Amino acid sequence: MASNPNDSRQGLSEASDAAGLQALIARATSSERGSAPVDKWNPDFCGDLDMEIKADGTWFYMGTPIGRMPLVQLFASVLRKDEDGKTYLVTPVEKVGIRVEDAHFVAVEMNVHGTGQDQVLTFRTNVGDVVEAGPEHPLRFVDEEGTDGLKPYLHVRGRLEALVARPVMYEIAQIGEEIEIDGVTMFAVRSNGAVFPVMPMDRLKRLSGDA
């Protein structure tokens, strides 16, 4: 007999489609108010799920892109990366592994408020998170393999990060400034009183042909 996605005994890893998975997660977390406290849950690991977050932020389930944003937002609300470096969907009763090609989210928009020490950079992710960069939500810049470019990441929550989209990276570059950090002149950006180094100024000049 075919499994019923509405059967409360069915596990997350057994859901036959995204809608069935949505129903299971919604029921498992229905008693929670506000953001799901996934960091406080310690359920049993129940296997891997055929779900992947692609580098462009698109979510796939069983090889099919999930086109409905409410579903993606529900799945994102129970997302957790553990100390083992793996990413899971977590409910109070189950934990299932998923694949992540790059980052968990994509920062698709940035707002700049204030200047200098008072400057605040606020980002919006592709799943609707709004995050102010700062001491609790740092920006980091990683060398992009095979190129001279950088990939910026924003801490969102827990161990989850958002890759900053290229158009937003260009906006960051426009507001960067020269700041001396530990005796080295860096190209850096400020937000919420924190300074985030992008790269040494001498490297930036070499890349721009100004050296």
Side-chain angles (χ1 to χ4, degrees), residues 144-193:
E144 187 171 20
E145 187 175 350
T147 75
D148 288 325
L150 292 175
K151 295 176 72 174
Y153 294 88
L154 171 71
H155 172 260
V156 177
R157 62 179 182 272
R159 297 183 180 88
L160 306 180
E161 290 186 310
L163 173 66
V164 177
R166 192 168 299 276
V168 180
M169 175 58 181
Y170 293 147
E171 293 180 36
I172 292 175
Q174 294 297 316
I175 60 172
E177 56 187 294
E178 293 186 30
I179 301 175
E180 187 170 311
I181 302 174
D182 296 329
V184 179
T185 302
M186 302 289 294
F187 183 71
V189 293
R190 302 177 189 268
S191 184
N192 266 322

Side-chain angles (χ1 to χ4, degrees), residues 80-197:
R80 190 176 83 192
K81 182 178 179 180
D82 285 357
E83 291 181 356
D84 60 8
K86 297 179 181 179
T87 299
Y88 303 91
L89 297 184
V90 182
T91 74
V93 295
E94 287 188 84
K95 180 172 79 171
V96 294
I98 72 168
R99 302 184 302 278
V100 181
E101 191 172 60
D102 193 336
H104 305 91
F105 313 115
V106 178
V108 296
E109 185 178 359
M110 180 181 74
N111 175 264
V112 183
H113 178 74
T115 58
Q117 297 283 355
D118 297 324
Q119 181 169 275
V120 177
L121 308 182
T122 304
F123 295 84
R124 179 178 63 83
T125 73
N126 61 315
V127 297
D129 291 300
V130 176
V131 181
E132 288 187 0
E136 295 183 359
H137 299 282
L139 283 163
R140 66 184 184 97
F141 298 82
V142 178
D143 289 331
E144 187 171 20
E145 187 175 350
T147 75
D148 288 325
L150 292 175
K151 295 176 72 174
Y153 294 88
L154 171 71
H155 172 260
V156 177
R157 62 179 182 272
R159 297 183 180 88
L160 306 180
E161 290 186 310
L163 173 66
V164 177
R166 192 168 299 276
V168 180
M169 175 58 181
Y170 293 147
E171 293 180 36
I172 292 175
Q174 294 297 316
I175 60 172
E177 56 187 294
E178 293 186 30
I179 301 175
E180 187 170 311
I181 302 174
D182 296 329
V184 179
T185 302
M186 302 289 294
F187 183 71
V189 293
R190 302 177 189 268
S191 184
N192 266 322
V195 175
F196 303 109

Side-chain angles (χ1 to χ4, degrees), residues 1-12 14-17 19-21 23-24 27:
M1 184 171 62
S3 62
N4 181 356
N6 293 319
D7 186 343
S8 61
R9 296 168 298 177
Q10 185 184 33
L12 297 180
E14 299 169 327
S16 60
D17 56 26
L21 186 60
L24 288 166
R27 281 200 300 276

